[in-house]
Amino acid sequence: MAMTTRALVLGGGGPVGIAWESGLIAGFAQAGVDLGAADFTLGTSAGAFVGARLAMGADARLLADPILTEAERRPPSPATDADRKPADLAELMRLMGEAQSGMGNPAEARARIGAFALAADTLGEEDFLNTFGRSFAGLAPDAWPERGFACTAVDAQDGAFQLWTQASGVGISRAVASSCSVPGVYPPVTLLGRRYIDGGMRSSTNADMAAGYDVVVVVAVRLGAAGGAALERIAARFEEEVQLLQDGGGTVVTIIPDEASVEAFGPNLMDFRRRADAARAGLEQGRVQAAVLKEIWG
């Protein structure tokens, strides 16, 4: 009898999304559902960071611990977090709306986002890469997980979509950083002589890249956290991706933030001050929903 193949898709959602996904996965694991045991993990932006930690062997039950420990050590306060106030994403949202509207050539629209990212005044590339340092410290520059892992990015120069895999010949730290490079907030990341930005510029989940697996669990942060026209675009795109997975014979389970989680997020997923609350809300949601997932995931 053939083994059931399982894929985990982790969508984008900024620092708040990283915290919530970490909590959610830890909550599931503590209740007996180990999403880290997926045959293939696909990450976009925040999901690339969380997925890479899982694929590199982090204990799923403890995934939220670093975020909660940091919060206990240094509770957020207006004085200490003044330098971390959430970025203004208005121009990026406008450009993303164009790219995901279905009007015109999507790659050309993404190239306009790339031009915006390349021109933006952000911290330097090496400084940005160092922010990933603790999680991927001590790894060889070309290190990649043994278990199936991929993350998404977009070429800043021509808007082409890029799926980083073990076969790409790049290291996980830079690949994940490129996937997390929110245009206008962080610098595009150099890989193989090109500059790359956030994979969420194509789709917040890119779930269609997990086609061919029997069971696909998709964690879609932004389906619960956006509003208005942006949410409609994300939802429409997501429905297409799910349909493609189902047409290929896959069983798809979608997990979105529950009401308490959305409240914990606040209005801006780039707000570092919300991370501890988001992680706690994810933990609780994972523990509560684990029973539903247990039968499907095994």
Side-chain angles (χ1 to χ4, degrees):
M1 191 170 119
M3 291 287 289
T4 301
T5 57
R6 302 175 298 180
L8 172 65
V9 175
L10 298 170
V16 175
I18 287 177
W20 179 74
E21 287 182 332
S22 299
L24 182 81
I25 290 164
F28 278 130
Q30 290 168 18
V33 178
D34 183 8
L35 293 177
D39 300 293
F40 174 62
T41 300
L42 172 73
T44 291
S45 201
F49 182 86
V50 178
R53 287 195 63 216
L54 269 184
M56 292 300 287
D59 185 334
R61 294 167 301 177
L62 309 177
L63 214 56
D65 285 15
I67 295 160
L68 296 173
T69 305
E70 182 190 33
E72 283 164 17
R73 202 171 59 237
R74 191 182 70 89
S77 74
T80 56
D81 280 288
D83 58 327
R84 304 296 286 280
K85 71 177 189 291
D88 178 10
L89 302 177
E91 176 61 10
L92 176 60
M93 289 302 159
R94 187 188 70 74
L95 290 164
M96 283 176 72
E98 281 180 16
Q100 295 175 4
S101 67
M103 311 287 283
N105 181 322
E108 285 175 9
R110 292 195 296 265
R112 286 194 287 278
I113 300 175
F116 164 72
L118 289 163
D121 180 21
T122 65
L123 78 166
E125 190 176 335
E126 287 308 314
D127 290 335
F128 176 51
L129 287 163
N130 288 337
T131 65
F132 292 82
R134 277 177 301 177
S135 295
F136 304 113
L139 294 177
D142 60 351
W144 199 266
E146 287 303 310
R147 64 175 78 176
F149 173 77
C151 63
T152 64
V154 164
D155 188 310
Q157 282 127 309
D158 63 12
F161 177 65
Q162 176 67 46
L163 186 70
W164 298 120
T165 67
Q166 191 161 27
S168 302
V170 301
I172 191 155
S173 189
R174 271 186 183 270
V176 168
S178 75
S179 192
C180 292
S181 171
V182 180
V185 181
Y186 300 123
V189 173
T190 308
L191 287 129
L192 307 177
R194 306 281 294 180
R195 307 287 302 281
Y196 290 91
I197 56 172
D198 195 321
M201 299 307 105
R202 175 184 183 262
S203 153
S204 69
T205 49
N206 294 295
D208 49 326
M209 295 293 119
Y213 287 86
D214 299 322
V215 175
V216 184
V217 170
V218 186
V219 179
V221 182
R222 294 194 58 200
L223 277 178
L231 178 59
E232 283 174 28
R233 281 193 303 272
I234 292 165
R237 176 65 193 243
F238 183 68
E239 279 170 29
E240 287 172 18
E241 292 172 9
V242 169
Q243 191 61 55
L244 193 139
L245 294 173
Q246 290 173 336
D247 289 349
T251 299
V252 182
V253 181
T254 304
I255 301 167
I256 66 170
D258 61 14
E259 231 170 275
S261 295
V262 172
E263 196 170 314
F265 290 177
N268 189 332
L269 293 172
M270 297 300 292
D271 191 343
F272 280 83
R273 297 166 296 189
R274 294 281 188 161
R275 292 185 340 139
D277 286 346
R280 289 186 200 103
L283 268 167
E284 184 57 28
Q285 182 175 341
R287 288 175 188 143
V288 169
Q289 294 183 351
V292 182
L293 199 54
K294 194 170 274 185
E295 288 174 39
I296 299 159
W297 192 256

